[in-house]
Amino acid sequence: MKFTESWLRELVNIPVSIDELAGQLTMAGLEVEAMSACRPDFSDVIIARVEKIESHPDSAKLKVCLVDMGNSVHCTVVCGAENVQTGHCYPLARPGAILPGNKLIKTATIHGVISEGMLCSEKELGLSENDGGIFELHDDATPGTKLDDYLILNDTQIEISLTPNRGDCLGMLGLAREVAVLNNVEYRPDPVKPVVSMLPDKRNIRLEAATACPRYCGRIIHQVDLKRKTPVRIAERLRRSGIRSINPVVDLANYVMLETGQPLHVFDNDTLRGAIQVRFAREGEKLVLLDGETRALSANTLIIADDTGPIAMAGIMGGQATAVTSKTRSIFIESAWFNPTAIMGRARHYGLHTDASHRYERGVDPALSLIAIERLSELIISVSKGNAGPVNQVVNEAELPGTKTIRLRSSRVRRLLGAKISDQRISTMLKHLGFGMVNDVNAKGEWQISVPSYRFDIGIEADLIEEIARIHGYQNIAGTLPLVKMRMKAPDYHSAGVQAMTGILIARGYRECLSYSFIDPAIQKLFIGDVESTTLLNPISAEMAEMRQSLWPGLMQSLLYNIKRQQPSLRLFETGKIYQGKHGSQEVRVIGGILYGNKYKKQLDISNISFDFYDLKSDVESLLSAQLKNLPIEFKKIQHPALHPGQSAQILSYGIQ
């Protein structure tokens, strides 16, 4: 989420610097990812009004403009933009001005006409990528005013990364509440005043999927004027929050979303037919979205529809056919609460990610719908005029989230945090965060805390204690090492024996490898024959579906891997458990090895000599002599499913394998 320092300071009186504020937010779990100056790298750009336009004598594409730079000082500028008009104000880079990219503006002669500066586009100023003409300013712009001051560019853009449970901070009001608590200052947002209804017009609403959408508010506003421009202050806040300006109605809807955290959508009321329906899509239904792409709707997609069919994907994106355009004169505002489970994953299914879906998936305050629609109505009427009808609110109370009450114990706070925080401090922190106190702390040191509707992530006592730790400051909680009583473990003689054998093999040039205990059933059968193995109920893959009964398959796979990479000689061994018996009940620790290739590295005076049976026999005898000491060892010929007939042997001592 992106916002500006000035906007936040307008909502709450912050007594710390921007760097201290960033530290506070990060320590409170609202990680500040980046901060940057809002002012692009330009200088000496002022506001100028075009007083007169004449055609260039030597170029049909150029115009000669007489501009007022303030205090009745005029200059001549040659301009090629098609949108330049008499009486309008634009940014003027005077001679000596520097634009982004270290571009120096000079007085120039263009096709025989002197140009004393340049009228600039948003892209040339580094304000946006919009290069559709020069930047037309509002009627309230005054010639001679510095563009920095007019656009309030001496500001800082802050970008924070929120965890999915903190959807309440995806609006400036929620963020301001957090900052107020962190700085122990008062936060009282201005109350939203209901807009007086001037007309009786309203559109019927039917909740056919009340579980997914238990609250839907709608309002009609007639005679809106979309020729008016979005106020500079609002347009700039949108731009710095990463949202492009479209038209005043859509801009104001986006602004209220950023301000409150409640997504809203505005339809062209004249394109709607019949009642608004909130339902799931039906088989075969399609919708052309605002991005111009047609989507075939799945049955689990919640939609907004009228009598003609789908008009929007609920909580994701509106349809193109009902979009607000420059010709719109009557609008229908939607402000609803959609259950997060009805929105989660739907946008991703269609390859979309919108500001609305981002908020609805994380959870929006169910109480915001009515507040947000009144706030948007107020702004639209103040900017674009119009006459409002009444708000039509349809609610299914049984499906709305209920109020939660949680017991909080001060003794539990101290035990979990290891810090002494007074009961008064705990009460103050929770009250400032918006939690209600059903009762003051009693003699047992307990509260009954009511959870506000916007903190849907709070469900148990530990959640409340986490909030206390967050606001108190993790850095203010002293770190203490746990008291641990240690007991020496008796030596594991079996492990010591394996370690000794490992040392012998490494000394004889072997390298240890490690393979999975899971194996391909087809490969296992090659090594053990038709012996029943332990099959996994939920294997990682079909090639890892059984528990191994031998180390040989893993060693062979390691060998093949190295042969394919042109390794001429290998000595590999592995120690580990094999699983025998019913359901792998017998875990046996074994050691296995494999030899391959030439005994010696390639040399001019030594022929290639391959490892043979006797090399392996020598290594085995070396291992056994270390373990069996002077006990007799016998090699006996056997048949084994994995070995060549007549070239395999088992090892016995006193007749025991």
Side-chain angles (χ1 to χ4, degrees), residues 206-214 216 276-287 296-306 309-316 337-347 349-350 399:
R206 298 204 303 266
L207 298 183
E208 299 179 13
T211 302
C213 176
Y216 191 99
I276 294 294
Q277 306 157 32
V278 185
R279 60 175 173 82
F280 285 100
R282 296 165 186 158
E283 186 175 352
E285 286 187 318
K286 296 182 179 180
L287 178 63
L297 302 173
S298 304
N300 66 346
T301 301
L302 187 67
I303 64 166
I304 311 299
D306 64 3
I311 58 175
M313 275 189 195
I316 300 174
W337 186 78
F338 300 116
N339 195 314
T341 57
I343 307 298
M344 285 179 187
R346 304 300 189 275
H349 171 74
Y350 293 101
E399 297 293 344

Side-chain angles (χ1 to χ4, degrees), residues 612-652:
D612 57 21
F613 174 83
Y614 296 101
D615 293 307
L616 192 59
K617 180 173 178 288
S618 172
D619 292 334
V620 170
E621 288 177 335
S622 177
L623 288 176
L624 295 177
S625 62
Q627 295 299 308
L628 301 179
K629 304 303 181 185
N630 296 320
L631 295 179
I633 299 172
E634 178 186 0
F635 291 87
K636 183 178 180 181
K637 182 169 66 174
I638 61 164
Q639 298 292 329
H640 191 282
L643 301 175
H644 196 285
Q647 296 185 22
S648 56
Q650 66 177 171
I651 306 166
L652 304 172

Side-chain angles (χ1 to χ4, degrees), residues 528-566:
I528 65 171
D530 294 323
V531 178
E532 184 180 357
S533 298
T534 303
T535 303
L536 300 175
L537 294 177
N538 188 24
I540 298 173
S541 67
E543 291 75 26
M544 304 177 78
E546 286 185 357
M547 301 299 290
R548 68 185 178 191
Q549 292 198 41
S550 172
L551 296 182
W552 286 350
L555 287 166
M556 287 297 297
Q557 287 175 319
S558 297
L559 173 63
L560 290 173
Y561 181 89
N562 282 275
I563 290 174
K564 290 176 181 178
R565 285 153 183 80
Q566 291 80 47

